[in-house]
Amino acid sequence: MASAGLREELTCPICLSIYTQPVMLRCGHNFCQGCIGSVWDSQGGSGLYTCPECRVEFQERPALPRNLKLCNIAERFLSTQEEAVIFCTYCDSSVPAAKTCLLCDASLCDKHLKKHSKSEEHVLTEPSTFLKTRKCPVHKEILKCYCTEDAACICVSCWVFGEHRGHQVESLNEASEKKKEKLRHVLEKLTSEREETEKRAQSLQERRSEAQEKAAGVTARVTALIRDIRKRLKSLEKRALSEITRWEEQVSLRVSGLIQQLEIKKDELSRKMLHIEELSNITDPFTVLQGRESDNADFCDAEEGGNEDREREDNKVPAVGDLYQVLISMTLQRLVDIVTDLKAKSGFCVQEASGILLDINTAANNVYVSGDLKTASWSGRNQLRPNTPKRFVSYNQVLSSRSFSSGQHYWEVEISESGNRGVGISYPSIKRKGRQSLIGDNKKSWGLYMWDNIHAVIHDSIETQIYPESPSQRLGIYLDYETGRLSFYQLCDPIRHLHTITATFTEPLHAAFCVRNNGWVRIRS
């Protein structure tokens, strides 16, 4: 791997081969002299020369000084690559060496190794061309010792009368074993850390799989719920339209009968009107006065009129406005019943805390409570309320009159853009004065506070800061009493989860609110 990394550093970016006569530009990049020359020959017509790596421009063709150090490194690297196979020093033909003797500065094949001296002075190693690195550059002796003070391999002469004289020295084998022991401990530690990392990764993978599985389950339940609601709505629509049609038919039939009766009556009235007109046109008084009794009756009926009959007939026709009110009310009620029933069957039984109101008996005297008991706002003016055991004294806080001791509940609040605002929950047994009475600064309450663009969840005086993407003036609060979960959400588009608190609830819980410095909170549900 080290050789591959070195080869990459010694590769010309143009020809992608090991540097040949490397030159360095003023920008610091290196190229083969021939490669960069060819590139610049092609750029000569434009009168502008650029570095192929960083694209820096040169108005005139720069001189190309040789990078001697890089040249030497490249040549040494090439020679090392060529000498990768080490041959026996004593064989006439190219026979691969089996060992290298540091004392003799020679590599030996298996045949010559058998004849080689077995004394301790002749140190045998794996075949290597880097024999100089195994000998002391000062005394030209084999490096057999290790100076622990300078962390360096030395020869015996360096230890006895050289620069390492008097230092703590060990043999190479002893120092190597000690280092191997340390490496084994490091390896054990790294192995343990890797196993722990694998466990954590596996745990996170399981959590992700669990979340995906739950999401798929909830998706299926929501899809089924919406499908059932659509089915019920379609059935409800069909029933409502059927009732409207039936009512229309009844009204139409009744009105048709009345119209038919009125048509008959109209014909009769026309006949009577014609007869009366004829009598009116007779000039003989005797003939007019001697008319039939029926003529007199028709005349009396015409005078008296039929107002009462008209009122009775009109009352037989139901009012259209009543129908609309009844049908709309009935349809909406059925819709509410359908959704409530399906939510319960699907397991989505969160109850909206629509009846939540502020308990003015708990409100501190610097908290103004609106007449509808839904808004708490900071007031610089003392409200002069009577001092009762339930009233907060040290902090501008107020609790809800309603409490929750079981089930799942959800409510929404609107908050001011500025000022200090806090929302949360609290046991009724929370203290009403002193440091321990602040919502979240004790074991009996949990609070989400917002001030100066800072959001923090506090419980038992422990503060956890959270960082929403953007502020929102509407918040949703979800409480699951049995599972001990309190979650806060930003009601923007899309809805964002802020934080979830887990706890074991042991008392009824009240919604809690805290305001200061012109802040206010309003209950929306």
Side-chain angles (χ1 to χ4, degrees):
M1 292 181 64
S3 176
L6 182 58
R7 172 178 287 275
E8 183 177 354
E9 292 295 328
L10 297 175
T11 299
C12 173
I14 298 176
C15 66
L16 302 180
S17 300
I18 302 299
Y19 287 118
T20 301
Q21 295 181 345
V23 294
M24 184 171 66
L25 307 186
R26 290 200 298 268
C27 58
H29 292 110
N30 296 281
F31 305 94
C32 297
Q33 187 177 29
C35 293
I36 190 63
S38 300
V39 171
W40 282 356
D41 288 342
S42 64
Q43 295 177 350
S46 63
L48 196 67
Y49 303 92
T50 60
C51 170
E53 282 283 282
C54 63
R55 300 300 177 185
V56 64
E57 298 179 351
F58 305 99
Q59 298 297 328
E60 297 180 359
R61 182 164 180 162
L64 297 176
R66 290 278 299 277
N67 190 335
L68 296 178
K69 184 174 290 187
L70 184 61
C71 182
N72 293 335
I73 295 174
E75 290 176 356
R76 187 175 301 174
F77 177 80
L78 288 172
S79 64
T80 301
Q81 298 300 304
E82 293 172 357
E83 297 174 0
V85 179
I86 301 170
F87 300 103
C88 178
T89 305
Y90 303 109
C91 290
D92 295 333
S93 58
S94 300
V95 178
K99 293 289 182 179
T100 295
C101 178
L102 300 181
L103 181 64
C104 301
D105 283 347
S107 296
L108 304 99
C109 63
D110 290 330
K111 177 181 177 182
H112 289 97
L113 186 61
K114 293 178 181 178
K115 301 176 182 179
H116 193 71
S117 173
K118 300 297 188 294
S119 65
E120 294 183 358
E121 296 178 353
H122 294 268
V123 179
L124 298 176
T125 67
E126 294 300 317
S128 173
T129 58
F130 300 102
L131 300 180
K132 292 182 180 179
T133 61
R134 295 295 189 107
K135 289 188 175 182
C136 176
V138 178
H139 305 102
K140 308 302 179 183
E141 297 179 10
I142 299 174
L143 303 176
K144 295 182 178 181
C145 304
Y146 181 78
C147 176
T148 57
E149 294 184 21
D150 297 328
C153 296
I154 61 175
C155 66
V156 175
S157 297
C158 288
W159 175 36
V160 175
F161 46 81
E163 60 178 314
H164 297 277
R165 182 174 55 185
H167 290 185
Q168 182 68 34
V169 173
E170 298 175 347
S171 69
L172 290 183
N173 289 336
E174 184 181 3
S176 175
E177 289 301 321
K178 287 184 178 180
K179 186 170 183 178
K180 288 180 180 179
E181 184 65 22
K182 290 181 180 179
L183 292 175
R184 280 191 289 269
H185 289 307
V186 173
L187 182 61
E188 289 176 1
K189 184 178 180 181
L190 294 177
T191 303
S192 176
E193 289 182 3
R194 188 182 67 178
E195 291 175 353
E196 182 64 27
T197 303
E198 289 177 351
K199 288 180 181 178
R200 290 181 60 192
Q202 181 65 26
S203 176
L204 291 174
Q205 178 66 31
E206 291 174 356
R207 287 182 61 183
R208 182 172 66 178
S209 301
E210 182 183 0
Q212 292 173 343
E213 184 178 349
K214 286 185 177 180
V218 173
T219 300
R221 287 165 58 196
V222 170
T223 302
L225 174 62
I226 300 299
R227 183 174 61 248
D228 289 343
I229 290 177
R230 287 198 186 104
K231 184 178 178 181
R232 296 284 190 93
L233 282 177
K234 190 173 182 180
S235 175
L236 179 60
E237 178 189 19
K238 186 176 180 181
R239 288 178 58 186
L241 294 178
S242 176
E243 289 176 2
I244 293 172
T245 302
R246 182 171 56 83
W247 176 88
E248 180 188 11
E249 291 174 350
Q250 290 177 352
V251 172
S252 179
L253 184 61
R254 188 172 300 174
V255 170
S256 296
L258 292 175
I259 291 174
Q260 187 176 7
Q261 294 176 16
L262 291 174
E263 290 291 339
I264 296 172
K265 186 174 181 179
K266 185 179 72 170
D267 292 341
E268 181 66 22
L269 289 173
S270 297
R271 184 189 61 77
K272 290 180 179 181
M273 288 172 60
L274 180 60
H275 180 66
I276 292 172
E277 287 178 357
E278 290 176 352
L279 286 175
S280 300
N281 293 328
I282 296 174
T283 57
D284 182 13
F286 180 80
T287 303
V288 174
L289 295 175
Q290 291 298 320
R292 298 188 306 270
E293 289 295 329
S294 59
D295 296 337
N296 296 330
D298 291 343
F299 180 71
C300 292
D301 291 342
E303 281 189 330
E304 292 176 1
N307 290 332
E308 293 182 1
D309 293 339
R310 285 196 296 271
E311 291 179 1
R312 284 194 298 269
E313 291 171 354
D314 291 342
N315 288 335
K316 293 179 181 179
V317 182
V320 177
D322 293 343
L323 170 74
Y324 292 157
Q325 293 294 334
V326 171
L327 282 178
I328 292 173
S329 177
M330 184 172 56
T331 302
L332 290 178
Q333 185 57 47
R334 287 179 182 173
L335 178 60
V336 171
D337 294 341
I338 287 171
V339 174
T340 302
D341 178 58
L342 290 177
K343 281 172 60 180
K345 289 181 179 178
S346 303
F348 298 107
C349 50
V350 178
Q351 301 177 15
E352 291 190 5
S354 56
I356 188 170
L357 297 173
L358 301 175
D359 183 0
I360 198 168
N361 293 320
T362 64
N365 273 318
N366 282 102
V367 176
Y368 172 77
V369 178
S370 62
D372 61 0
L373 301 179
K374 287 196 171 185
T375 303
S377 55
W378 179 81
S379 173
R381 182 177 180 182
N382 193 314
Q383 302 298 305
L384 300 176
R385 300 188 185 101
N387 188 14
T388 63
K390 295 175 63 176
R391 191 173 310 287
F392 285 104
V393 176
S394 301
Y395 296 99
N396 303 326
Q397 302 175 156
V398 60
L399 301 181
S400 67
S401 55
R402 180 179 176 181
S403 64
F404 310 101
S405 56
S406 63
Q408 299 168 319
H409 306 276
Y410 173 80
W411 64 95
E412 297 179 2
V413 297
E414 184 178 358
I415 61 174
S416 57
E417 291 187 10
S418 59
N420 293 2
R421 301 88 72 206
V423 295
I425 55 176
S426 172
Y427 292 149
S429 59
I430 186 175
K431 293 182 178 180
R432 305 305 164 114
K433 62 172 62 176
R435 176 71 181 178
Q436 289 295 308
S437 64
L438 178 64
I439 302 298
D441 248 5
N442 47 70
K443 296 180 181 295
K444 295 179 177 291
S445 60
W446 298 258
L448 167 65
Y449 285 90
M450 295 140 284
W451 67 91
D452 298 332
N453 296 324
I454 296 175
H455 289 59
V457 174
I458 303 177
H459 171 64
D460 197 15
S461 301
I462 299 175
E463 178 180 313
T464 303
Q465 289 199 11
I466 55 180
Y467 304 94
E469 294 182 11
S470 58
S472 174
Q473 287 185 259
R474 289 183 58 195
L475 300 174
I477 303 169
Y478 169 74
L479 170 65
D480 189 337
Y481 191 94
E482 277 76 18
T483 60
R485 293 180 61 218
L486 175 68
S487 299
F488 299 97
Y489 298 88
Q490 279 187 324
L491 302 183
C492 45
D493 189 15
I495 296 175
R496 297 190 185 98
H497 173 253
L498 287 177
H499 191 77
T500 293
I501 297 171
T502 56
T504 301
F505 301 129
T506 57
E507 296 182 38
L509 291 166
H510 292 260
F513 309 91
C514 182
V515 290
R516 189 181 176 190
N517 296 343
N518 296 320
W520 55 264
V521 178
R522 177 169 179 78
I523 304 167
R524 293 180 55 90
S525 55

